[in-house]
Amino acid sequence: MQKAVWWNKRTLLGGIALVLLTWILYAQVSHFDFVNLDDDDYVASNVHVQAGLTWDTLRWAATSREASNWHPLTWISHSLDWGLFGGNPAGHHLTSVLFHSLDVLILFLGLTRVTGRSGRSLVVAALFAVHPLNVESVAWIAERKSVLSAFFFLLALVAYGWYGRKPGLARYLMVLGLFILALGSKPMVITLPCVLLLLDVWPLARVSGWTQPSEVFPAPQRTVRQLLLEKLPLFACSAASAAITLIASRATVPVNLLPLSARVENALYSYAIYIWKAFWPAGLAAFHPYQANGLSATSLALSGIFLGGVGLIAWRKRRTTPELAVCCLWYLGMLVPVIGIIQVGAQAWADRYAYLPLLGIFVMVVWSVGDLLDRYTWGVRLGAVLAAVVVFALSLVAWRQIGYWQNSEVLWSHALAVTKNNEIAERCFGEALLSSGREDEAIEHLDKAVQMLPADPETHRWLGASLQGQGRYREAAQEYEIELRLADDPVLISNAQANLGFCYTVTGNARLGAELYEHAFQTDRKSVERVIENLSRMANETPSSETYLRLGLLLYYSGRRSAGRAACEQALAIQPNSELIESVIRDMTAGTTSP
């Protein structure tokens, strides 16, 4: 009997259909680029990741706090991809799709196994596969950590079911090991011990005296105290991960900039908005800013009434339909690490945070509708039609949402269209426009970003680069000077010093320019060397006199004087009779400036 429920032709075909659906929907990402939202930090410009899977890389991954996180497995995953695909973003994208399809498959098989409801499990997994809220986690290369951590998280749930059927040390260690791997991919999964306690209630029915053992997946029952004690090693891992994350996170918003009251209000609103977007996934964007004037009393009241109503219904039905209470608590609990009480980053809420929490909403809705339709003889057919229509509609919306991730310009143009007062979107869109040589348009958006983020050094950096691209070197120098005053990151400081050095050199203050170049190499030589590598690549791909001149000055002040002069001579060949370039070459030849 149980073999027929767990593994049969229907289950096999359902699993194949889910994987095909996922790949058909996300196949378009194979033509997408890296985007200017953390993709550089994680892959495209990360020298550690690009070094390949060496002992040095493994040591760096285990100790790195880059990107304000500790997630060594995520770094290793990106490094393996770079070894396989190099700088071709297609392979990096498709690896994320692979993990998402595996997450979908594990969810379907695991849920079918413990509930015996393959049809309902198929619908839940299909919603998870195609929901537009999950697009960010899959189509964004830098968010590999979401699909990777979910892979180990879901495997840990499956392993826990295996352990629950027949408790033993080896099986428990399997759960513990998978949990550690999940934490090493993304610390958001620290709530797993609490999730396992929820699964003890439903569907595993392991709590003695609460319900009868499951007929589909019978497991020996334990007291609440015993179930809590067996989770203690898992809670210890969660506590350790939380401590490491707080230490690693350098993007925590200061309390004086975002008071506790504002964060609590936003958390309440976010709980409601994720559910709303689950049913009406419109207006999704790569960044959702805080409301400039705070949330309205109406929004907060409606959010509170809605959440309270859902919680009350789930609580009142906890005995007859325990899955409602379990799913409600799953959703509420899994969002706790990212709901914003401890604010990391400037976002009010983020699509990617709903990747695992929304499973609770999916199961709650599917099981509730299924129970309702089971009362009627025609219920199964109607349920199948409804599920097909909903999955198809969500797939169409998701297909369009995936397309917004094709490149930085499209991504941020869409974000600006569906959000208001979005300073990050203005800045990133300006960066994208600058990268495509559209300085005039870039300056327009970067000016707006500076007005909204006057204390952000990176915004001043990109505005300076746009002004520099137009030959407005004195104005660019002013922006770089502001960046230098605001920055506390050695990478930003050294880049600002190098850019200022160039601006001063071309505006007639070669001596001050030379000093700034020297300071740049002293501050963070590695980051300046990366700039040299990028300029060398730009000079080969799209040669210009300014690129060669910038490259020549950096090479010269790095100690490679002959190479520096040669690059400046290339600049002069492109722009003959330039008094500035001729003057720079004369100074280099005469040795009147020294690195």
Side-chain angles (χ1 to χ4, degrees), residues 265-288:
E265 290 176 359
N266 185 72
L268 176 63
Y269 175 75
S270 296
Y271 270 121
I273 199 68
Y274 286 124
I275 296 178
W276 171 248
K277 295 300 181 182
F279 289 93
W280 191 256
L284 304 181
F287 184 84
H288 297 280

Side-chain angles (χ1 to χ4, degrees), residues 171-183:
R171 297 186 178 205
Y172 187 86
L173 290 176
M174 177 70 72
V175 177
L176 183 63
L178 288 168
F179 181 38
I180 292 171
L181 293 175
L183 290 172

Side-chain angles (χ1 to χ4, degrees), residues 134-343:
N134 289 343
V135 166
E136 181 172 287
S137 295
V138 185
W140 182 16
I141 289 175
E143 196 51 30
R144 167 74 55 76
K145 51 185 176 286
S146 281
V147 292
L148 184 62
S149 64
F151 173 71
F152 292 113
F153 176 90
L154 293 169
L155 282 179
L157 299 190
V158 172
Y160 183 71
W162 182 56
Y163 162 80
R165 283 289 297 272
K166 187 178 180 181
L169 179 61
R171 297 186 178 205
Y172 187 86
L173 290 176
M174 177 70 72
V175 177
L176 183 63
L178 288 168
F179 181 38
I180 292 171
L181 293 175
L183 290 172
S185 304
K186 186 178 182 179
M188 180 181 167
V189 295
I190 60 173
T191 55
L192 181 131
C194 297
V195 168
L196 298 184
L197 288 170
L198 293 175
L199 298 186
D200 286 334
V201 177
W202 184 88
L204 299 180
R206 295 187 67 213
V207 188
S208 62
W210 283 29
T211 58
Q212 294 297 317
S214 169
E215 295 180 3
V216 175
F217 195 79
Q221 294 190 326
R222 298 286 187 268
T223 65
V224 173
R225 180 175 181 274
Q226 289 172 324
L227 293 173
L228 284 170
L229 286 174
E230 74 177 5
K231 310 288 190 304
L232 288 181
L234 300 172
F235 278 113
C237 291
S238 294
S241 178
I244 293 171
T245 301
L246 288 175
I247 294 171
S249 178
R250 292 168 293 185
T252 303
V253 176
V255 173
N256 61 329
L257 295 182
L258 199 59
L260 180 60
S261 59
R263 285 177 278 145
V264 171
E265 290 176 359
N266 185 72
L268 176 63
Y269 175 75
S270 296
Y271 270 121
I273 199 68
Y274 286 124
I275 296 178
W276 171 248
K277 295 300 181 182
F279 289 93
W280 191 256
L284 304 181
F287 184 84
H288 297 280
Y290 263 80
Q291 300 295 322
N293 299 315
L295 296 166
S296 68
T298 303
S299 297
L300 292 173
L302 290 174
S303 299
I305 293 170
F306 174 73
L307 291 173
V310 172
L312 180 61
I313 292 172
W315 176 255
R316 293 186 67 177
K317 291 182 174 292
R318 67 188 184 281
R319 295 296 184 185
T320 56
T321 52
E323 62 270 23
L324 293 183
V326 166
C327 291
C328 184
L329 289 173
W330 172 302
Y331 169 73
L332 295 173
M334 288 212 70
L335 277 172
V336 167
V338 292
I339 204 62
I341 301 299
I342 298 177
Q343 181 70 21

Side-chain angles (χ1 to χ4, degrees), residues 5-38:
V5 170
W6 155 236
W7 185 253
N8 53 29
K9 185 177 180 180
R10 183 180 179 183
T11 308
L12 175 63
L13 292 176
I16 293 173
L18 287 168
V19 172
L20 287 175
L21 174 63
T22 304
W23 278 95
I24 290 171
L25 183 63
Y26 280 95
Q28 57 180 304
V29 301
S30 62
H31 305 294
F32 290 4
D33 294 332
F34 294 108
V35 296
N36 62 347
L37 180 65
D38 291 346

Side-chain angles (χ1 to χ4, degrees), residues 266-458:
N266 185 72
L268 176 63
Y269 175 75
S270 296
Y271 270 121
I273 199 68
Y274 286 124
I275 296 178
W276 171 248
K277 295 300 181 182
F279 289 93
W280 191 256
L284 304 181
F287 184 84
H288 297 280
Y290 263 80
Q291 300 295 322
N293 299 315
L295 296 166
S296 68
T298 303
S299 297
L300 292 173
L302 290 174
S303 299
I305 293 170
F306 174 73
L307 291 173
V310 172
L312 180 61
I313 292 172
W315 176 255
R316 293 186 67 177
K317 291 182 174 292
R318 67 188 184 281
R319 295 296 184 185
T320 56
T321 52
E323 62 270 23
L324 293 183
V326 166
C327 291
C328 184
L329 289 173
W330 172 302
Y331 169 73
L332 295 173
M334 288 212 70
L335 277 172
V336 167
V338 292
I339 204 62
I341 301 299
I342 298 177
Q343 181 70 21
V344 177
Q347 72 286 333
W349 57 281
D351 301 356
R352 61 189 177 276
Y353 291 159
Y355 189 70
L356 284 173
L358 274 188
L359 288 178
I361 303 301
F362 295 154
V363 174
M364 180 188 296
V365 172
V366 171
W367 252 253
S368 298
V369 174
D371 288 343
L372 177 64
L373 294 177
D374 280 350
R375 301 174 186 176
Y376 307 97
T377 56
W378 39 263
V380 174
R381 293 182 180 177
L382 177 60
V385 172
L386 286 174
V389 170
V390 170
V391 170
F392 179 71
L394 288 175
S395 297
L396 293 179
V397 179
W399 177 271
R400 186 177 182 184
Q401 186 67 28
I402 293 167
Y404 294 133
W405 287 86
Q406 61 186 278
N407 59 53
S408 299
E409 285 189 37
V410 175
L411 178 67
W412 296 112
S413 174
H414 169 69
L416 289 172
V418 299
T419 62
K420 296 179 180 179
N421 301 317
N422 196 329
E423 65 275 11
I424 299 299
E426 293 284 5
R427 186 189 78 188
C428 292
F429 190 43
E431 292 177 32
L433 292 170
L434 176 61
S435 298
S436 61
R438 295 153 64 184
E439 286 90 355
D440 289 343
E441 296 172 74
I443 289 173
E444 177 186 347
H445 289 279
L446 290 167
D447 267 331
K448 292 180 182 178
V450 165
Q451 292 171 20
M452 289 186 279
L453 287 174
D456 179 41
E458 288 197 59

